[in-house]
Amino acid sequence: MRLRLPEPGGTTREYRPRAEPLALSAPGPLTSRTVFSAAHVVADPYADTTPGSPAAVDWDATLAFRRHLWSHGLGVAEAMDTAQRGMGLDWAGAAELIRRSAAEARSVGGRIACGVGTDQLTGPAGLPEIRAAYEEQLAVVEESGAQAVLMASRALAAAASGPEDYLDLYGHLLRQASEPVILHWLGPMFDPALDGYWGSADLDAATETFLDVIAAHPDKVDGIKVSLLDARREVELRRRLPEGVRCYTGDDFHYPELIAGDEQGFSHALLGIFDPLGPLAAEAVRILDTGDVEAFRKTLDPTVALSRHLFEPPTRFYKTGVVFLAWLAGHQDHFTMVGGLQSARSLPHLARAYELADGLGLFPDPARAESRMRALLTVQGVPQ
């Protein structure tokens, strides 16, 4: 069987889908790296919702996907950017997601870290209100038994007058955190409202402030999650971290080389691309656990083309491709997203995502993926 895939400009091309999925070894624990997949949420397709209304989540399918990730030895980074925080999922929905996923993690012995932000705030807010919002969310995460990820705050980016406001606020939060947290630096390519975070649009100056926060409270920082899509900057940053503070790469363009590392160290991982790549990513890290860096790179390097495609500008819409691939892979029965975000990528973009993922053997049932892709193309008017 062959598919006619659309190209930009109105043409089509022929594609012959793969017949068999990639053969993987039996799942097992990962030992040389700590690896989190930032996980998406599954919308309830029967809910009568509109963009901007509270999210309606299919909890059974959402939790089943997390069990899928845990079964391959991955940790779950919950209620973060990949789960559409601030892009369809509000704080009320995120709080319920955190409680449900943390309870599920306890039941299966899975590792989980959850995002702490300030997205319950509406409109401009002062620093006291921002601190209180962070505290409210931190309490929810800690009460759930999950590790906290202190996420970058749009409200703080708007309200802070300089680096000293970041030093003061983060210092307060770290002092009161009951366990070491992960600090999250999300660049403006993921969220334009975060431009100038840490008090400066100059990334060198921002880096100094970020390191000052960590240096003042190294016992309260498990690690940092860096999402700047700049491998050189991440390597330089991780080499300056205090002893015992990890770097979790969030670079969806350069993750193989950053995880592999060099003679001076390596990055762990907390990545949105490991949502669709979960089993293959875990396979690669199990190879790395044996010390075979070359085979690790040979396994993971071919996935970068798919990741760069999904995360192409506007980068913040990568979630559409992630959920699309989850539907094709059979992890959910529909291609509907909270906030109506299934419309955020073009049909040619989705077709190329299908082709790249199929070429990697990511679909457990290639025939089902082909059937679903064919149905979407037919509905969209692409003759087959």
Side-chain angles (χ1 to χ4, degrees), residues 199 220 233 242 293 334:
K220 287 296 187 76
R233 185 173 295 279
V293 176
H334 58 85

Side-chain angles (χ1 to χ4, degrees), residues 174-217:
L174 290 171
R175 284 190 295 273
Q176 74 175 65
S178 61
E179 300 290 342
V181 309
I182 298 172
L183 294 180
H184 187 192
W185 186 358
L186 192 68
M189 67 289 295
F190 289 92
D191 187 342
L194 298 176
D195 191 27
Y197 213 74
W198 303 111
S200 177
D202 180 331
L203 290 180
D204 291 335
T207 296
E208 296 306 317
T209 302
F210 189 45
L211 287 168
D212 285 346
V213 169
I214 299 165
H217 308 276

Side-chain angles (χ1 to χ4, degrees), residues 61-75:
T62 293
L63 295 177
F65 187 75
R66 280 131 183 84
R67 291 193 297 272
H68 154 72
L69 295 172
W70 285 318
S71 74
H72 288 278
L74 301 169

Side-chain angles (χ1 to χ4, degrees), residues 37-43 61-62 64-66 68-69 82 84 272-279 306 310 318-337 350 353-354 357-358 362-365 368-369 372-373:
S37 166
H40 74 281
V41 294
V42 182
T62 293
F65 187 75
R66 280 131 183 84
H68 154 72
L69 295 172
T82 306
Q84 296 180 241
I273 191 57
F274 281 5
D275 179 303
L277 291 183
L306 172 63
L310 295 183
Y318 75 88
K319 296 95 162 171
T320 301
V322 165
V323 175
F324 173 66
L325 295 181
W327 171 57
L328 294 180
H331 295 299
Q332 55 195 79
D333 294 329
H334 58 85
F335 179 37
T336 302
M337 298 177 66
L350 297 177
Y354 162 75
D358 182 67
L362 292 186
F363 302 127
D365 184 345
R368 176 176 55 195
R372 290 184 171 185
M373 189 69 213

